[in-house]
Amino acid sequence: MAVFRPGESIGFREQVVMKLCSIDMKTHQSAGKLYVCEKIRNSSELVFSFPGSWSVSDWFIRSPFGEVKVDLELFPSLKHIGLNEIATVNEAFLNRFRAILANTQFKKEVRTAVTDGKPVVFTGHSLGGPIAILATIWFLEVYIRPDPNKVAPLCVTFGSPLVGDRIVSHALRRENWSRYFINFVLRYDIVPRVSLTPLSFVEQQLQRILNFFNPRSPFYMQENVGEASGFYVTVMRNALSVVSHAACKIMGSTNLLLDTLSNFVELSPYTPLGTYVFCTGNGKLVAIKNPDAVLQLLFYTSQSNSEAVALNSLKDHLNYKHELQECLKKQSVTCLDDNHLEALPLSNDVTVEINMVLNDLGLSTRARLCLRAAGELEKQKKSNQKAIDIKMEDIERGLGKLQGYKKRCQHKVGYYDAFKLSKDKEDFDANVKRLELAGIWDEIIEMLKRNELPDEFEGRKAWIEIGTRYRRLVEPLDIANYYRHLKNEDTGPYMVRGRPKRYKCTQRWREHAERMSNESLESCFWAEVEELCIKSGNPSIRETILQLKKRVEQQIRNGDLDDDVFLKGSTFDKLLKEHSLTNLDQNDIFRGSWS
Amino acid sequence: MDTEASPFESSEMLATFLTSTPLLSMSWSLCDRANTMPSQGFVAEQMGSVGHLAFSGVQLGSGPDPTSGRNLEPLVTATNGLFFPLEHQFDGEEGGGEEEGKEPVLVHAGFLRIFLSVKSNPNFQNRMLNMIQNSKSIVIAGHGIGGTVAGLCALWLLSYLQSISSNISVLCITFGSPLLGNESLSRAILREGWSGNFCHVVSKHDVFPRLFFAPLAPLNPQLHSLLQFWQLSMTSPPLALLAEKLLDEGKSQIFRTVLASLEGLAKAEQGKNVTCGFWPFGNYFFCSEDGAICNDNATFIVKMMHSLLLNSSPSCSIEDHLKYGYYVEKASLQVLTKTSFPPAELPESSYEAGVALALQSSGIACQDESVARPAKNCLKLARRMGRTPNLNCANLAIKLSKITPYRAEIEWYKATCDQSDAQMGYYDSFKQRGASKRDFKVNMNRYKLARFWDNVINMLDNNDLPRDFHRRAKWVNGSQFYMLLVEPLDIAEYYRTGMHRKKGHYISNGRERRYKIFERWWKERPIKEEEKKTRSTFASSPKTHVFGPEWRKLESG
């Protein structure tokens, strides 16, 4: 277990962190300000620091967890692309961030910094942390996504509550943005853990606890041991529910009782995102990126047999400045990556080097087993990905064969209609290839659905590209097969009832990667044609057909679609003829190019 | 993707999850209240969207002593369809199923009578109706005999909710309850996917949950005083002291008999069925001063019952039945702390270490090798090799898409035969096939498809697939399509190889079991409105539909 200088291992400079921490502490004093913007001396960073808030309603907008689906206009990346699921975040935090965004000054200052090429840092302590996180995501969406060469932002939080669900964390990892978020958590600090508790369990106490943190409250630092300990036990108990449920899942438990129980318990949707740096309390830092492992640590680092821990769990929240000073003096940061997790020592034997710090975090054998499971799971996902990557060659080969088929059919009526008729051996061979490819892709989709692939998978260019090629080449065959067997009469139009997930999913990959605002349905062209053919007797569809034709011509010019759709005798050609929409010249040109 | 066992042991983690929730303490406190109010029989309480119900472990003058004898009776005949999902045999068996010695579902007659009398109580019916209307989930609990009533109530409720397609969740938590029914009951519950709805809390020494493993008839008077002692301890402790005196002799007799019977069961060879009439179902939550574990493997449960009792004593085994309040409270405090020290020698492998910790939590000290070793081995046996039915089903869907090309090749074979100049059709072509590469390939594909579908049937037989698998359109249609296309080839092969001379008619003697099953799925499939529309033309498949059965008859005629 190598010990690195902090700067090298997790991408921050200790002086900067120290400075950020002091700024954040100061920001709490500046009453009424939405944020504080400051330059760091002798350094180019521009720091935006967000103050915390000490009212319960700024944390939980409703019971039990106050989460809301994100607005994709504001955060277009915060979703699971393949499964088409939108991320949720804490609504109270989101509202506070929107208020800041509505402030034109803020946007202006950020824009100036970007134009000047200055690195921007968003930071916050306590309930300021979530605002810094949301601001950073917003910054990434607005500036980095269109232009990855711009100077990346940095987000540093101290004792921040959790902000979003696992889709947020998934999306940040997919976009490779996760590395810009660094969250410091003092070993016993209760605040990050409160997010795992349903509001109804702590509603009575939470305001009094917040008053304890509020420098302007008469109860500031006025400890009430009894209350602190009740609060600590409640929060820890709920945290344990969340982490033990998660641990059962990552350990691969298939017991049905697990699912039954989750219907009886309100489990927090929130999960950690980005890198977490845990402070041991005696000057050491442990950095960890695996979100499953961080979740486990949120419970286990604070698990204790001592009575005093309840009070520490409050005091620690105000102790970051002092603690970090100690840590950064020692400059001891241990990084636990997935390889380390998987082979973590189970006993607390001090002769093993890494145990010096694991023992300081107070990790029991059970805790270590959970961390191992988290590491093992990520390893499993990576090896699944490897297995899938190997199949890319098979896909490539299948696509090659079908490409050849398509080309040969261009001398006739086009591969769509040839396949629909399926008269020759060649058509049949194409059908076998289609089914083989479907098998591979369905497996990939199934793995995505079960979360068996690394978060990064859907962001990989090679897969997005081959997915698009696959969709454009093979989906017409699926449509041909659908209408050949008149499945539309059983189940309804292809687009409504028949379209396989493998095409919807790969389509969304491309739409997201290219930041398209409209659906890119070029591969479904034939389904549209078929539906129009069914209504063909109706003269009122002439206009629709004309529109379609214009769109198709545009898509051909863009290279999204091939011009063989106009081949003489194809279903589309017939439809155009029937409504006397053929453009003879053009048709000749296309025919000419193939003869 | 492969179905390999997880490298982690999660029995203890599952127990931790349950303990971290308020469910155990909430249920126990209701049971406790129900025990002190035996005249009512049950207590009900609504907490937000969760309904709580607890049955009293104290039964006043409820006719025959429930522990007398081992009177199991068929669940079906006695209850008039109240538990209908548990009744029907699984459709693996065609018409009556000749599988050897399958008992009907049996439950303890005495407990069933208590439940039926509670159920006929109008007060109970009202509360229940109310609860179903106002709850998203319902917890049903009970202590001792109350637990068996809770079990029956939960089974009835699950049956009822299934009949009205409600998605209310049901959880049954029992504390120190005796066994309720036989192995067929346990299997029927597994089949319905209900084993995750039952959690039986059993303390380290409590003899009551272990009682019915033993032949009890000779111990009747002792059992009677034991039951009386427990009931008095819950309702009027001073009188219990007197009852305890009466019991004195009986204690060790009961203890010895139960221990001996468990010994016999635990030592029984794996797979060899030593029957004791009763059999556990659902999850068992074994709790001790050192923690808890939760597992649903019946063999493991029986062995644990034995191992834990080895270190007990007659009086311990009887007093422990009254200590669930203590155990529940202790466990709920304990999970938050790091009390237990890890075993002196901790294995390096995650799995072995998990097993060692689990045993420690269950109260089997690791130093005691003679007890720990069998328990350890048994926990490893219980390690699940398979996945949940839904995961299996999803994997099967992937496999289906991989074998579809084989089917397509046969389709093509059929199409070319139909169109060829010989006008022979694929049935005759296949029957008279030569040694061409194409014929060979078709035959291979036929085998591959058969292997796939036989595997499906096999998984169904083993309960590895979802309960409603045979009603899902994807599988009903897929199997039907397969049958129409490929069965004629099987018939052709049957007659080609002269099997009809050896075995007789195809339909009565040669037809594979899979086709009989698929045919029934098709007949019993749910038909949607839109399917009733007639199609404008027939696609290729229904043609075989007409000819398939015809061929069978032609050849046999």
Side-chain angles (χ1 to χ4, degrees):
Chain A
M1 191 69 33
V3 174
F4 298 107
R5 287 175 50 84
E8 292 161 11
S9 49
I10 37 178
F12 62 83
R13 295 203 308 280
E14 44 274 21
Q15 298 86 345
V16 173
V17 170
M18 218 35 250
K19 182 68 190 165
L20 293 177
C21 194
S22 351
I23 295 177
D24 282 339
M25 288 308 182
K26 215 170 61 195
T27 310
H28 286 312
Q29 311 291 337
S30 45
K33 280 203 183 162
L34 286 172
Y35 67 97
V36 172
C37 179
E38 213 174 292
K39 273 201 64 173
I40 300 183
R41 217 183 314 152
N42 305 328
S43 181
S44 56
E45 283 97 345
L46 190 65
V47 178
F48 292 87
S49 167
F50 301 94
S53 151
W54 311 113
S55 114
V56 173
S57 58
D58 280 341
W59 191 339
F60 290 104
I61 222 156
R62 76 185 90 78
S63 212
F65 300 103
E67 75 273 28
V68 68
K69 286 229 180 333
V70 297
D71 178 358
L72 287 180
E73 295 277 308
L74 188 58
F75 299 115
S77 296
L78 294 190
K79 62 190 173 204
H80 194 304
I81 303 171
L83 306 184
N84 207 14
E85 284 169 9
I86 301 171
T88 57
V89 296
N90 183 308
E91 190 171 2
F93 299 154
L94 185 63
N95 289 347
R96 274 171 59 215
F97 171 65
R98 278 182 188 282
I100 288 164
L101 206 56
N103 176 319
T104 45
Q105 185 63 23
F106 172 74
K107 277 193 192 163
K108 212 170 110 194
E109 279 184 86
V110 172
R111 197 174 329 123
T112 317
V114 174
T115 357
D116 298 350
K118 274 190 205 147
V120 176
V121 181
F122 298 98
T123 179
H125 167 250
S126 189
L127 272 68
I131 312 304
I133 288 172
L134 290 172
T136 312
I137 300 176
W138 166 80
F139 184 94
L140 287 162
E141 296 274 18
V142 172
Y143 293 105
I144 304 299
R145 198 157 165 245
D147 179 8
N149 297 323
K150 285 221 165 71
V151 185
L154 182 66
C155 175
V156 181
T157 72
F158 303 94
S160 166
L162 305 180
V163 178
D165 66 356
R166 72 160 309 286
I167 298 179
V168 177
S169 156
H170 161 86
L172 294 181
R173 281 161 71 93
R174 181 191 64 224
E175 303 292 328
N176 201 11
W177 291 345
S178 194
R179 58 205 162 122
Y180 303 131
F181 297 81
I182 296 165
N183 308 286
F184 285 88
V185 171
L186 253 165
R187 184 174 161 194
Y188 293 115
D189 181 0
I190 195 94
V191 172
R193 282 113 180 163
V194 173
S195 298
L196 302 177
T197 308
L199 178 60
S200 55
F201 281 68
V202 288
E203 205 157 11
Q204 310 291 322
Q205 296 147 310
L206 193 55
Q207 188 55 60
R208 289 197 289 277
I209 299 294
L210 288 174
N211 290 341
F212 175 91
F213 297 140
N214 181 358
R216 271 186 303 278
S217 152
F219 304 104
Y220 180 58
M221 300 280 269
Q222 298 295 304
E223 52 220 44
N224 171 343
V225 181
E227 185 155 81
S229 120
F231 185 69
Y232 169 80
V233 169
T234 311
V235 170
M236 285 299 280
R237 188 175 293 282
N238 283 286
L240 180 58
S241 291
V242 175
V243 306
S244 57
H245 179 260
C248 285
K249 290 273 180 204
I250 58 180
M251 286 181 174
S253 168
T254 52
N255 195 316
L256 294 173
L257 180 63
L258 190 59
D259 298 329
T260 309
L261 289 178
S262 15
N263 293 329
F264 286 82
V265 189
E266 284 166 330
L267 291 173
S268 169
Y270 299 121
T271 56
L273 59 86
T275 304
Y276 268 69
V277 184
F278 286 89
C279 316
T280 57
N282 58 1
K284 291 177 201 155
L285 298 175
V286 181
I288 186 160
K289 291 178 175 162
N290 180 317
D292 293 320
V294 173
L295 185 67
Q296 297 296 323
L297 284 175
L298 281 180
F299 173 79
Y300 286 108
T301 56
S302 183
Q303 188 189 31
S304 165
N305 299 340
S306 141
E307 292 283 318
V309 65
L311 216 48
N312 284 340
S313 77
L314 298 183
K315 284 184 181 158
D316 262 10
H317 187 58
L318 299 172
N319 226 2
Y320 281 88
K321 200 169 163 186
H322 176 254
E323 180 65 25
L324 282 171
Q325 239 148 17
E326 289 296 304
C327 291
L328 298 169
K329 235 185 270 165
K330 287 198 184 168
Q331 301 206 335
S332 141
V333 182
T334 310
C335 283
L336 296 178
D337 62 28
D338 290 328
N339 292 332
H340 298 132
L341 288 177
E342 199 195 309
L344 223 53
L346 292 177
S347 70
N348 54 5
D349 178 1
V350 285
T351 57
V352 184
E353 193 197 347
I354 189 174
N355 269 340
M356 305 288 277
V357 60
L358 294 184
N359 294 349
D360 286 339
L361 274 183
L363 298 184
S364 65
T365 308
R366 289 176 175 84
R368 290 159 194 239
L369 274 173
C370 293
L371 295 186
R372 272 193 180 186
E376 189 74 42
L377 181 68
E378 194 58 34
K379 189 179 128 195
Q380 182 62 48
K381 288 183 182 179
K382 292 232 167 76
S383 81
N384 288 345
Q385 174 166 269
K386 228 181 237 161
I388 289 288
D389 283 349
I390 290 170
K391 295 214 173 124
M392 204 186 253
E393 284 172 27
D394 297 339
I395 297 178
E396 208 59 82
R397 216 172 302 129
L399 289 182
K401 288 247 167 71
L402 289 177
Q403 193 67 50
Y405 172 66
K406 180 176 177 183
K407 199 150 187 197
R408 284 192 297 280
C409 290
Q410 264 155 357
H411 299 294
K412 300 182 274 182
V413 71
Y415 81 134
Y416 177 80
D417 283 280
F419 191 84
K420 200 176 161 196
L421 288 171
S422 276
K423 272 207 320 242
D424 299 320
K425 171 107 176 44
E426 190 173 45
D427 306 318
F428 153 73
D429 287 338
N431 193 27
V432 171
K433 278 281 159 282
R434 171 184 76 92
L435 291 167
E436 278 171 12
L437 287 173
I440 299 174
W441 280 97
D442 283 350
E443 182 172 5
I444 297 175
I445 305 299
E446 189 58 38
M447 289 176 103
L448 275 178
K449 219 159 78 187
R450 281 190 240 154
N451 236 326
E452 288 176 346
L453 292 172
D455 291 327
E456 292 80 7
F457 180 78
E458 287 191 305
R460 288 173 55 201
K461 286 224 169 60
W463 276 105
I464 298 171
E465 187 269 330
I466 201 172
T468 305
R469 274 196 293 136
Y470 166 67
R471 179 169 56 89
R472 288 182 178 168
L473 183 63
V474 188
E475 187 165 14
L477 298 185
D478 272 75
I479 299 169
N481 189 58
Y482 194 83
Y483 287 96
R484 167 183 156 82
H485 290 295
L486 297 171
K487 289 190 187 172
N488 54 320
E489 292 183 16
D490 282 345
T491 28
Y494 175 83
M495 290 308 287
V496 184
R497 305 294 299 273
R499 193 171 188 219
K501 281 205 185 74
R502 52 182 183 269
Y503 299 124
K504 294 186 195 161
C505 179
T506 47
Q507 177 193 327
R508 284 193 296 263
W509 286 356
R510 169 165 180 258
E511 283 164 2
H512 179 74
E514 303 191 2
R515 297 190 294 130
M516 300 165 70
S517 47
N518 294 325
E519 277 197 294
S520 64
L521 290 171
E522 75 281 358
S523 59
C524 304
F525 161 75
W526 286 108
E528 230 172 310
V529 173
E530 291 285 357
E531 288 303 319
L532 286 171
C533 286
I534 290 166
K535 296 182 212 136
S536 186
N538 186 347
S540 67
I541 61 164
R542 190 168 189 273
E543 186 54 27
T544 323
I545 297 172
L546 192 62
Q547 291 298 327
L548 177 65
K549 188 181 168 218
K550 278 188 185 147
R551 214 174 65 220
V552 165
E553 282 162 2
Q554 181 59 42
Q555 282 171 338
I556 291 173
R557 275 195 288 279
N558 293 348
D560 291 346
L561 203 62
D562 273 335
D563 46 16
D564 61 346
V565 299
F566 285 112
L567 282 173
K568 202 165 184 183
S570 77
T571 309
F572 188 44
D573 180 54
K574 283 185 200 154
L575 182 70
L576 291 178
K577 279 213 181 88
E578 199 178 330
H579 293 265
S580 5
L581 283 164
T582 32
N583 175 347
L584 272 178
D585 300 342
Q586 195 187 31
N587 208 359
D588 279 339
I589 290 165
F590 283 121
R591 226 165 353 128
S593 67
W594 297 116
S595 47
Chain B
M1 288 311 294
D2 301 326
T3 43
E4 55 187 35
S6 156
F8 295 91
E9 170 53 51
S10 52
S11 314
E12 190 188 7
M13 196 46 80
L14 183 58
T16 303
F17 178 39
L18 177 56
T19 315
S20 73
T21 70
L23 287 168
L24 281 184
S25 19
M26 183 67 206
S27 305
W28 173 255
S29 74
L30 277 189
C31 286
D32 205 24
R33 238 166 65 201
N35 282 345
T36 56
M37 297 188 287
S39 55
Q40 254 218 321
F42 71 95
V43 186
E45 208 170 291
Q46 188 75 34
M47 300 192 58
S49 64
V50 186
H52 286 269
L53 186 67
F55 290 96
S56 175
V58 182
Q59 298 295 332
L60 295 178
S62 51
D65 187 340
T67 59
S68 69
R70 308 171 56 176
N71 41 357
L72 282 162
E73 73 177 19
L75 181 67
V76 178
T77 49
T79 54
N80 223 343
L82 272 187
F83 301 93
F84 68 94
L86 298 175
E87 293 169 16
H88 56 231
Q89 290 292 313
F90 196 57
D91 46 60
E93 302 92 53
E94 181 75 7
E98 304 88 48
E99 264 155 82
E100 72 304 333
K102 258 198 185 159
E103 267 186 325
V105 173
L106 302 176
V107 296
H108 190 287
F111 301 150
L112 183 60
R113 216 152 300 140
I114 300 174
F115 167 67
L116 291 176
S117 94
V118 175
K119 207 198 147 266
S120 61
N121 173 349
N123 181 24
F124 174 81
Q125 286 169 3
N126 282 339
R127 294 305 293 260
M128 210 61 226
L129 208 64
N130 237 317
M131 208 172 259
I132 292 171
Q133 276 161 2
N134 299 319
S135 308
K136 279 193 197 133
S137 45
I138 296 176
V139 189
I140 304 175
H143 177 214
I145 293 173
T148 61
V149 183
L152 284 165
C153 182
L155 286 174
W156 160 72
L157 188 59
L158 284 164
S159 307
Y160 172 69
L161 293 175
Q162 192 187 93
S163 75
I164 58 166
S165 322
S166 156
N167 53 6
I168 296 177
S169 307
V170 177
L171 175 63
C172 173
I173 302 179
T174 74
F175 297 92
S177 285
L179 299 169
L180 176 62
N182 64 350
E183 200 175 346
S184 298
L185 174 70
S186 162
R187 212 173 313 128
I189 288 171
L190 257 179
R191 182 190 67 213
E192 291 303 310
W194 290 347
S195 58
N197 299 75
F198 293 86
C199 183
H200 306 285
V201 181
V202 169
S203 74
K204 211 170 152 182
H205 301 303
D206 185 2
V207 78
F208 207 5
R210 296 161 166 100
L211 213 50
F212 287 4
F213 286 117
L216 294 176
L219 290 172
N220 235 335
Q222 289 91 330
L223 284 175
H224 192 78
S225 12
L226 173 61
L227 212 61
Q228 201 166 36
F229 163 67
W230 276 336
Q231 301 210 339
L232 285 172
S233 307
M234 294 176 215
T235 47
S236 46
L239 287 174
L241 285 175
L242 287 171
E244 199 182 359
K245 289 221 172 69
L246 280 173
L247 183 62
D248 215 25
E249 269 289 289
K251 274 187 191 174
S252 58
Q253 272 171 302
I254 295 172
F255 182 75
R256 268 185 281 115
T257 318
V258 171
L259 190 58
S261 309
L262 273 169
E263 181 105 35
L265 281 172
K267 294 264 155 73
E269 288 279 312
Q270 262 279 309
K272 205 177 112 198
N273 228 344
V274 176
T275 169
C276 61
F278 288 90
W279 200 245
F281 66 88
N283 278 275
Y284 271 70
F285 181 97
F286 290 103
C287 57
S288 75
E289 270 105 348
D290 303 309
I293 61 171
C294 190
N295 199 298
D296 62 355
N297 179 299
T299 319
F300 171 72
I301 291 165
V302 173
K303 292 209 179 176
M304 268 314 268
M305 294 247 204
H306 173 241
S307 300
L308 289 168
L309 202 63
L310 279 175
N311 285 338
S312 181
S313 70
S315 28
C316 256
S317 76
I318 282 162
E319 279 154 22
D320 237 26
H321 183 64
L322 302 169
K323 281 164 72 177
Y324 283 96
Y326 161 78
Y327 281 116
V328 167
E329 200 192 327
K330 175 122 193 175
S332 95
L333 290 175
Q334 208 169 31
V335 283
L336 293 180
T337 59
K338 294 183 281 196
T339 44
S340 55
F341 293 97
E345 271 180 44
L346 204 58
E348 232 338 275
S349 121
S350 303
Y351 182 73
E352 300 281 339
V355 169
L357 289 174
L359 287 186
Q360 190 190 28
S361 292
S362 69
I364 294 178
C366 270
Q367 289 84 345
D368 194 349
E369 258 306 294
S370 62
V371 180
R373 183 174 295 281
K376 210 180 259 181
N377 291 338
C378 196
L379 187 55
K380 288 182 194 164
L381 275 180
R383 184 180 187 180
R384 260 165 206 273
M385 299 304 288
R387 292 165 174 271
T388 59
N390 280 328
L391 277 180
N392 280 329
C393 186
N395 281 336
L396 212 51
I398 294 170
K399 280 194 197 144
L400 176 66
S401 60
K402 284 189 181 152
I403 60 138
T404 310
Y406 303 137
R407 199 194 69 196
E409 284 186 66
I410 299 183
E411 266 174 70
W412 178 252
Y413 177 71
K414 178 173 176 294
T416 49
C417 289
D418 287 348
Q419 283 158 17
S420 79
D421 302 333
Q423 286 295 318
M424 258 212 301
Y426 80 134
Y427 176 82
D428 287 302
S429 303
F430 189 71
K431 198 177 161 195
Q432 296 159 24
R433 71 181 184 275
S436 80
K437 202 176 152 201
R438 188 177 72 156
D439 290 330
F440 174 75
K441 205 157 180 217
V442 166
N443 199 28
M444 274 313 291
N445 289 347
R446 185 176 69 91
Y447 275 120
K448 283 176 183 161
L449 292 172
R451 202 185 315 138
F452 172 82
W453 287 105
D454 279 344
N455 178 44
V456 171
I457 304 281
N458 201 6
M459 290 176 83
L460 264 176
D461 288 347
N462 292 332
N463 271 319
D464 289 334
L465 293 175
R467 213 161 35 80
D468 60 343
F469 182 83
H470 60 289
R471 287 196 287 270
R472 294 187 184 178
K474 181 187 180 89
W475 297 100
V476 176
N477 296 337
S479 61
Q480 177 69 7
F481 198 102
Y482 159 72
M483 180 168 91
L484 295 177
L485 184 68
V486 184
E487 193 178 7
L489 298 185
D490 279 9
I491 302 172
E493 182 69 11
Y494 189 78
Y495 288 96
R496 174 187 155 94
T497 52
M499 290 300 282
H500 58 292
R501 282 191 290 271
K502 277 183 241 159
K503 283 170 117 182
H505 276 186
Y506 174 81
I507 292 181
S508 45
N509 301 70
R511 196 174 190 206
E512 292 284 345
R513 178 158 164 258
R514 57 175 180 273
Y515 295 127
K516 300 184 197 166
I517 292 171
F518 296 156
E519 194 168 306
R520 200 176 56 249
W521 287 1
W522 183 252
K523 267 189 231 143
E524 290 169 2
R525 76 190 186 282
I527 297 175
K528 286 188 223 121
E529 265 315 299
E530 63 249 35
E531 279 178 42
K532 291 180 185 153
K533 288 188 299 191
T534 43
R535 299 176 67 139
S536 56
T537 34
F538 283 114
S540 62
S541 60
K543 281 186 213 156
T544 29
H545 190 56
V546 183
F547 292 120
E550 286 307 308
W551 272 318
R552 263 180 254 145
K553 285 183 194 126
L554 276 176
E555 289 279 4
S556 59

